[in-house]
Amino acid sequence: MRALARREGVTLFHLLLAGYATFLAAATGGPGGADGVDVTVGTPVAGRGAPGLDATMGMFVNTVCLRHRVRPDVPFRALLAEVARDAVDAFAHQDFPFDSLVEAVLPVRDPHRHPLFDTLFAMQHAEVARVEFLGRPVELAVAPTGQAMFDLDMQVYERPDGLTVHWAYHAGLFLPQTVRAFADLYLDLLDAVLADPGRPVGELTGAPAPVAAAPTTIDIDL
């Protein structure tokens, strides 16, 4: 996957995110028309965009909403380029006030749900998984809390020898075997993308390609 990301001029995060958006389109059974499936995903960012914050101690993490249109007739390679571009644009505007954004897109809010997205995708890079503390190496350990902040939360932990994925989910919506099936579906999608990144997204999600509308008028030469 790292090699494919380099060939396509994107990061591994972008590739996994595009796969996640495709997975969501497949799992939700969204429409397979020309407009495709509208997918919104939350992702945490460092929140240190201002100069001088890199060396500042404290919690600056911010959550950004990423919106993608997954269309069945578009090759995955094209979707990947769109996802990468959308992510860069969203990160460039991560300081936009959250309340102003919600007010613009959702004037009436449900206090029991997040106003912009129900699923989270995050990637924890290798450099933050292992640090030096008091002269000893300390490795980040995943400690499930038994609670989920979103309907579905996929956390990818990068290791030198591979990737580890941790899924958290709303137990009132999904059974454990359902989430295991989600994980298998996501892996199957990635395998298909690695085999042929130019495949239409509809072949990955099972959505039929849009059919051109039949003409409503007929010209007849007399």
Side-chain angles (χ1 to χ4, degrees):
M1 287 190 291
R2 291 187 179 99
L4 175 60
R6 286 193 298 268
R7 289 197 301 269
E8 298 298 325
V10 300
T11 66
L12 183 59
F13 169 83
H14 295 144
L15 176 58
L16 295 172
L17 175 61
Y20 189 64
T22 305
F23 151 75
L24 290 175
T28 56
D35 291 339
V37 184
D38 193 13
V39 174
T40 54
V41 179
T43 191
V45 294
R48 296 175 181 266
L53 289 181
D54 287 347
T56 304
M57 297 182 63
M59 185 69 171
F60 292 88
V61 175
N62 185 23
T63 305
V64 172
C65 180
L66 304 174
R67 184 180 183 182
H68 311 295
R69 178 72 66 175
V70 182
R71 300 182 299 276
D73 58 329
V74 171
F76 180 84
R77 177 177 283 116
L79 172 65
L80 175 58
E82 291 178 5
V83 167
R85 183 175 61 251
D86 292 344
V88 171
D89 290 344
F91 294 159
H93 296 86
Q94 61 179 285
D95 294 329
F96 189 85
F98 179 77
D99 289 339
S100 299
L101 176 62
V102 174
E103 183 179 354
V105 301
L106 194 67
V108 180
R109 291 185 57 175
D110 179 356
H112 299 94
R113 301 199 64 82
H114 193 283
L116 299 180
F117 51 84
D118 298 311
T119 180
L120 193 79
F121 173 86
M123 184 171 179
Q124 312 297 340
H125 295 283
E127 57 266 23
V128 301
R130 187 178 179 86
V131 298
E132 294 289 333
F133 182 72
L134 298 179
R136 294 180 178 271
V138 178
E139 187 169 346
L140 177 67
V142 181
T145 63
Q147 296 180 336
M149 297 179 63
F150 302 94
D151 292 350
L152 199 61
D153 179 355
M154 181 175 144
Q155 302 277 333
V156 181
Y157 296 87
E158 186 180 19
R159 311 292 186 191
D161 57 345
L163 302 171
T164 300
V165 178
H166 174 75
W167 296 76
Y169 58 94
H170 190 322
L173 295 176
F174 303 117
L175 296 172
Q177 55 265 36
T178 303
V179 179
R180 283 194 288 269
F182 285 167
D184 292 338
L185 174 58
Y186 183 67
L187 288 175
D188 289 342
L189 287 172
L190 291 182
D191 284 339
V193 166
L194 289 173
D196 181 9
R199 282 182 74 177
V201 172
E203 294 184 10
L204 301 173
T205 63
V211 179
T216 56
T217 61
I218 302 176
D219 293 331
I220 301 176
D221 293 330
L222 299 178

